Amino acid sequence: MSRPSVRLVRASTVTVLVTQMMIAVTGAIVRVTGSGLGCPTWPQCFPGSMVPVSHADIAPLHQVVEFGNRLLTWVVAAAALVCLLLAWRVRPARPRLRLLAGAVLFGVPVQAVIGGMTVLLDLRWWSVSLHFMASAVLIWLSGLLVKAAGEGDEKPHPIVTGRMRGVLVALTVVAAAMVFAGTLVTAAGPHAGDPSTPRLPISIPLLTQVHGLLVMAYLCLLAVFGFWLRGTSPTRGLLRAYTAACLVVLAQGVLGSVQYVTGVPEGLVVAHVLGATVVIATVSLLWAESRYRGKPSEPRRARSTVSESQPVGG
């Protein structure tokens, strides 16, 4: 049996990343439609039934939306399992690729359990925030996995300077705080996942200001990183990741502002959550692209004349 190609392995990692983002977005759809308790128990949907059943107090739409989100978990798990199996068959062996693929696969049932606890806790705001932050971690790891599929296993060679690496660390920390603050804004807002769920008793304008300040801090760090990036010989991958990070967070900022002034309509909330998943992915890829680990080994594929991992102009 032939070994999987670099292209096939990379396609599987991209699938993992996309499905991780999708389930976070469908989770937002569950919230804005008030379907969080469409299946009021877990792991069953209703006591004695794994699937929705007719219930006088629960609308069929809510059941379908919540159950659909649960079904998507199996798609996410299947994508992660296929990725790990392909990573395991790569030769020569790729320990880092296997580790990342295994970590994402392990995270899927952990995330499912957290989601189940959220239902059993009647969608308490802090459990929902924890649920999304767990998705953020898995999206981050999936971004690293995508990069790992297209590189070698040499000792990592830093492309950026030490102080730029420090900015990346700060950027990642601020991004995590920014995403968490966003979950708190949602926790205090009108979209609880169920009309009877208590909200976070903190002023929404105050939480929005904190979230906005973190976005500004993130933009400032991106600007500093970009200024220093001009004095280096960045790879095309690093330039693409940096450009994407800038464009995505600017678009996300505009979307968040429009969402706030228009009274957080459901469609914009879902779009904003999608934007948050893209922000997380771009930060992850920016982190990964700051180091060079060589070319992936694949004897059957002819070596290209110009590598995307070679520095621009170098």
Side-chain angles (χ1 to χ4, degrees):
M1 184 179 295
S2 62
R3 300 299 179 187
S5 66
V6 171
R7 179 172 296 181
L8 178 60
V9 174
R10 185 151 196 175
S12 73
T13 64
V14 172
T15 301
V16 168
L17 176 60
V18 170
T19 55
Q20 289 290 348
M21 295 166 67
M22 282 175 54
I23 199 164
V25 173
T26 58
I29 295 174
V30 170
R31 286 181 67 92
V32 300
T33 58
S35 304
L37 295 179
C39 286
T41 188
W42 187 88
Q44 296 179 323
C45 182
F46 284 85
S49 176
M50 295 297 294
V51 299
V53 296
S54 179
H55 195 286
D57 296 330
I58 302 178
L61 174 63
H62 293 169
Q63 295 186 37
V64 170
V65 172
E66 167 63 11
F67 188 67
N69 183 246
R70 293 190 182 193
L71 287 179
L72 185 58
T73 300
W74 294 101
V75 177
V76 175
L81 177 60
V82 169
C83 183
L84 178 60
L85 293 175
L86 289 174
W88 208 266
R89 293 182 54 236
V90 170
R91 293 294 182 274
R94 300 283 308 282
R96 183 168 177 271
L97 183 64
R98 292 177 178 180
L99 178 63
L100 286 169
V104 173
L105 179 59
F106 175 78
V108 173
V110 172
Q111 173 71 320
V113 171
I114 295 174
M117 291 174 59
T118 299
V119 172
L120 297 177
L121 290 167
D122 294 328
L123 310 180
R124 292 291 188 271
W125 67 264
W126 56 267
S127 66
V128 177
S129 293
L130 176 63
H131 193 34
F132 187 82
M133 292 308 295
S135 282
V137 171
L138 289 175
I139 293 169
W140 166 270
L141 290 174
S142 299
L144 298 182
L145 181 62
V146 170
K147 174 60 178 174
E151 64 184 5
D153 280 298
E154 298 177 8
K155 182 178 179 180
H157 172 71
I159 296 173
V160 299
T161 63
R163 63 181 181 178
M164 291 176 69
R165 190 72 179 178
V167 172
L168 272 181
V169 172
L171 194 69
T172 303
V173 172
V174 170
M178 180 175 68
V179 171
F180 179 67
T183 70
L184 296 184
V185 174
T186 302
H191 302 297
D194 185 81
S196 62
T197 300
R199 312 309 296 130
L200 174 62
I202 299 179
S203 166
I204 294 177
L206 174 61
L207 290 172
T208 302
Q209 289 175 7
V210 172
H211 183 54
L213 288 173
L214 287 168
V215 173
M216 292 176 62
Y218 181 85
L219 285 169
C220 288
L221 288 168
L222 271 179
V224 171
F225 185 85
F227 179 78
W228 284 341
L229 191 64
R230 297 173 57 192
T232 65
S233 297
T235 63
R236 291 184 176 88
L238 181 58
L239 284 177
R240 284 198 298 264
Y242 176 73
T243 302
C246 292
L247 294 177
V248 168
V249 76
L250 287 172
Q252 181 74 335
V254 172
L255 180 58
S257 299
V258 174
Q259 173 191 251
Y260 180 72
V261 299
T262 56
V264 289
E266 289 84 354
L268 290 184
V269 172
V270 174
H272 198 52
V273 170
L274 173 61
T277 66
V278 180
V279 168
I280 297 165
T282 56
V283 175
S284 175
L285 292 173
L286 185 60
W287 178 279
E289 291 286 358
S290 67
R291 293 183 177 184
Y292 175 60
R293 295 176 180 268
K295 302 176 184 178
S297 175
E298 187 181 11
R300 295 191 304 271
R301 183 179 179 181
R303 298 179 63 184
S304 60
T305 56
V306 179
S307 172
E308 289 191 353
S309 295
Q310 290 178 339
V312 176

